């Protein structure tokens, strides 16, 4: 195959691959129940290890993941990333103490750190380099996200019932699908984005690390110069941390409300369908709100957190309270779908292939360090108070933080190209 044929194959495969491999299938709806009921960990332990330690691992492993990707290439690194995730599920199945669970979180963090760099770049490198590249990327990435959410909804419908039969069944199925994702990732073609270049001579490890350090130093220096990128990275880190923490708090809240395991799957199946529908609508959402997208997402997401906590604590009818809590879950699910795709489009605008992995590295590094601190705080809070109160505290603090952040971003993000300073959009290639 020539370059164009390989590119077209990658573009066709990507949405199908993402459907199976974007995230864990069969697991998340019952993960909190599995770790607390079957493995015997406390709620605080689960938040500490499954969120805080996981994100801390992911933050520290982001740099090694980028070096590995540069050394092995994006396609082979993607295969390695999926293998690590398969091993993480195997460790979760056999874990009997916090040390083995921490090892599972390490493998999962390294796997997703690699995938977060390689997956969007494989698609982006396969698209024609023209002015429509960003829109086409968002469309295809959104299609893959939607397919994942719909498949996830189907898997979730059965997850709760499988858990009731045998709690290990959904975890085993997740392990099997992670193996399928590994096989699918091996089908991508490696692309040399410089079509006229000769075969590259692989440098020594020490030379590559020195070269990589120089490249990363350049990218970080440009990020500090670019107020646009700087605020986008800060926003992503904080918002993604909210998503990660609330995902676990949602399951903890349902457990506190004594929702049967069978209904966990049904609830999360409906939420996954919502995420899929809104993920497919990311183009409409961007067109509707333009440079106010991130503001709208923040307001609705934070308000949903406050609703989740408030209507669990105040005295209202149990049915009304439960319906309002489910509605708050739905709001968060509707935002998560398009957020990931749109944000990758915003982050990679005005960039070239050589700098995108380093920008992702800087972004995910801040996200994971920030997420680890927030999750650690929530895990300590859960030791002294309820899940509902933790939701309420998180929502109130987030209101003040994001109000300040969005005010600062107003004149720095979401502008027309000609309105930016040169240093805001000059990350075209490595120096």
């Amino acid at each position: 195959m020539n370059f164009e044929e390989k590119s077209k194959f990658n573009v066709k495969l990507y949405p199908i691959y993402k459907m199976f491999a974007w995230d864990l299938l069969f697991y998340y709806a019952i993960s909190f129940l599995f770790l607390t009921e079957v493995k015997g960990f406390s709620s605080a332990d689960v938040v500490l290890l499954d969120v805080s330690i996981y994100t801390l691992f992911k933050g520290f492993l982001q740099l090694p993941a980028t070096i590995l990707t540069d050394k092995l290439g994006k396609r082979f690194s993607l295969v390695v990333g999926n293998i690590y995730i398969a091993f993480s599920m195997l460790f979760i199945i056999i874990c009997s103490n916090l040390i083995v669970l921490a090892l599972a979180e390490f493998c999962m963090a390294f796997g997703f750190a690699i995938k977060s760099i390689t997956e969007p770049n494989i698609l982006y490198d396969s698209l024609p380099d023209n002015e429509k590249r960003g829109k086409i990327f968002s469309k295809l990435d959104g299609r893959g996200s939607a397919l994942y959410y719909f498949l996830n909804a189907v898997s979730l419908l059965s997850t709760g019932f499988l858990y009731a039969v045998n709690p290990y069944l959904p975890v085993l199925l997740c392990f099997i699908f992670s193996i399928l994702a590994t096989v699918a990732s091996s089908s991508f073609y490696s692309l040399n984005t410089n079509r006229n270049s000769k075969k590259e001579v692989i440098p020594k490890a020490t030379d590559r690390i020195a070269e990589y350090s120089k490249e990363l130093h350049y990218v970080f220096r440009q990020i500090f110069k670019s107020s646009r990128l700087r605020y986008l990275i800060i926003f992503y880190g904080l918002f993604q941390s909210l998503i990660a923490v609330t995902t676990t708090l949602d399951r903890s809240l349902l457990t506190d409300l004594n929702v049967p395991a069978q209904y966990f799957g049904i609830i999360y199946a409906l939420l996954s369908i919502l995420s899929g529908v809104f993920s497919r609508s990311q183009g409409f959402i961007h067109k509707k709100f333009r440079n106010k997208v991130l503001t709208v997402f923040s307001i609705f997401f934070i308000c949903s957190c406050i609703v989740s906590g408030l209507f669990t604590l105040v005295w209202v009818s149990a049915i009304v309270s439960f319906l309002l809590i489910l509605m708050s879950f739905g709001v968060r699910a509707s935002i998560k779908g398009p957020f990931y795709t749109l944000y990758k489009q915003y982050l990679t605008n005005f960039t070239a292939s050589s700098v995108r992995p380093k920008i992702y590295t800087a972004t995910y590094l801040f996200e994971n360090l920030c997420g680890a601190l927030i999750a650690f705080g929530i895990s300590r809070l859960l030791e002294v108070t309820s899940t509902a109160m933790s939701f309420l505290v998180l929502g109130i603090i987030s209101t003040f933080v994001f109000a300040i952040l969005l005010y600062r971003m107003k004149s720095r993000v979401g502008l027309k190209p000609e309105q930016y300073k040169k240093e805001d959009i000059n990350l075209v290639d490595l120096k």
Side-chain angles (χ1 to χ4, degrees):
M1 284 188 176
N2 58 32
F3 183 92
E4 285 74 17
E5 290 172 333
K6 290 179 179 179
S7 298
K8 288 180 181 179
F9 180 86
N10 284 357
V11 168
K12 289 180 180 178
L13 175 62
Y14 185 85
I16 299 171
Y17 161 79
K18 190 169 184 179
M19 176 175 65
F20 289 99
W22 188 29
D23 214 341
L24 302 177
L25 294 165
F26 289 97
Y27 179 65
Y28 286 129
I30 51 83
S31 62
F32 193 87
L33 285 174
F34 183 78
L35 293 174
T36 54
E37 292 184 355
V38 179
K39 297 300 180 178
F41 301 117
S42 68
S43 299
D45 285 339
V46 173
V47 174
L48 180 64
L49 277 166
D50 205 31
V51 184
S52 181
I53 298 300
Y54 167 77
T55 52
L56 190 63
F57 278 151
K58 200 174 175 185
F60 284 124
L61 291 169
Q62 204 68 53
L63 295 178
T66 307
I67 293 173
L68 180 73
T69 301
D70 286 347
K71 183 70 176 176
L72 301 181
K74 296 165 189 173
R75 181 251 184 188
F76 189 67
S77 296
L78 182 58
V79 176
V80 172
N82 281 298
I83 289 173
Y84 266 93
I85 290 172
F87 271 109
S88 74
M89 294 312 302
L90 182 61
F91 286 131
I92 286 174
I93 291 171
I94 65 173
C95 82
S96 57
N97 53 57
L98 289 174
I99 295 175
V100 179
L101 181 58
L103 180 60
E105 299 296 344
F106 175 88
C107 290
M108 189 178 296
F110 196 34
F112 278 115
I114 295 170
K115 281 159 62 72
S116 67
I117 298 168
T118 53
E119 285 175 341
N121 275 285
I122 283 177
L123 175 59
Y124 217 90
D125 288 347
S126 302
L127 298 174
D129 188 6
N130 55 42
E131 66 278 2
K132 295 183 179 180
R133 197 180 198 183
K135 290 183 178 179
I136 297 173
F137 172 86
S138 294
K139 182 179 179 181
L140 291 168
D141 193 63
R143 183 185 301 167
S145 300
L147 289 173
Y148 164 81
Y149 283 123
F150 294 140
L151 176 61
N152 191 40
V154 174
S155 72
L156 288 170
L157 282 172
S158 60
T159 297
F161 296 98
L162 289 170
Y163 183 87
V165 174
N166 188 319
Y168 282 89
L169 283 177
V171 190
L172 282 169
L173 282 172
C174 182
F175 173 64
I176 292 170
F177 269 85
S178 64
I179 294 174
L180 292 176
T182 304
V183 174
S185 65
S186 67
S187 300
F188 283 108
Y189 284 103
S190 296
L191 295 177
N192 182 1
T193 52
N194 185 356
R195 306 181 194 189
N196 298 319
S197 65
K198 296 179 180 180
K199 187 174 181 180
E200 185 179 1
V201 177
I202 299 175
K204 295 179 181 179
T206 53
D207 294 338
R208 186 64 194 95
I209 291 173
E211 180 188 354
Y212 170 80
S213 300
K214 183 180 178 181
E215 293 170 353
L216 195 61
H217 179 263
Y218 165 77
V219 172
F220 271 94
R221 190 172 70 247
Q222 297 307 310
I223 288 172
F224 279 111
K225 288 181 181 179
S226 170
S227 58
R228 170 188 166 270
L229 267 179
R230 194 165 62 247
Y231 278 101
L232 277 174
I233 290 172
I234 292 171
F235 181 93
Y236 181 86
L238 291 173
F239 199 81
Q240 174 57 25
S241 298
L242 273 183
I243 291 176
V245 170
T246 55
T247 298
T248 301
L249 287 178
D250 287 348
R251 298 169 192 132
S252 179
L253 189 61
L254 291 177
T255 303
D256 290 349
L257 294 172
N258 297 315
V259 176
Q262 296 90 324
Y263 294 113
F264 268 65
I266 296 173
I267 290 170
Y268 278 97
L270 294 174
L271 295 177
S272 186
I273 291 172
L274 263 181
S275 294
V277 169
F278 278 86
S279 183
R280 289 296 298 268
S281 305
Q282 49 81 24
F284 170 79
I285 292 170
H286 175 72
K287 186 177 180 180
K288 176 71 174 177
F289 297 107
R290 294 292 180 181
N291 60 347
K292 294 182 175 63
V293 168
L294 300 181
T295 301
V296 172
F297 282 176
S298 302
I299 292 171
F300 279 91
F301 199 95
I302 292 169
C303 287
S304 74
C305 292
I306 294 174
V307 168
S308 292
L310 186 62
F311 285 95
T312 308
L313 295 170
V314 300
W315 190 91
V316 291
S317 167
I319 295 177
V320 173
S321 176
F322 188 65
L323 288 175
L324 287 171
I325 290 168
L326 287 183
M327 286 176 61
S328 71
F329 283 19
V331 169
R332 291 196 285 277
S334 301
I335 292 170
K336 284 191 288 187
F339 170 73
Y340 292 118
T341 295
L342 287 174
Y343 207 86
K344 278 181 277 189
Q345 178 186 338
Y346 301 156
L347 200 61
T348 53
N349 283 340
F350 316 116
T351 64
S353 176
S354 59
V355 298
R356 281 194 300 272
K358 280 72 180 180
I359 292 175
Y360 285 130
T361 297
T363 302
Y364 297 137
L365 181 62
F366 178 78
E367 167 214 330
N368 291 312
L369 293 176
C370 181
L373 290 173
I374 293 174
F376 178 79
I378 293 296
S379 70
R380 299 305 93 188
L381 194 60
L382 283 171
E383 291 185 343
V384 297
T385 189
S386 65
T387 306
M389 183 58 72
S390 299
F391 253 125
L392 196 57
V393 171
L394 183 65
I396 292 171
I397 294 175
S398 298
T399 299
F400 289 102
V401 172
F402 276 87
I404 296 170
L405 179 59
L406 290 168
Y407 175 77
R408 297 285 296 171
M409 290 175 64
K410 189 175 181 180
S411 59
R412 296 171 174 85
V413 178
L415 309 178
K416 294 179 181 179
E418 61 271 16
Q419 293 177 306
Y420 285 111
K421 298 177 182 178
K422 182 181 178 181
E423 58 266 26
D424 283 332
I425 56 174
N426 72 341
L427 269 155
V428 177
D429 213 339
L430 292 170
K431 302 291 184 183

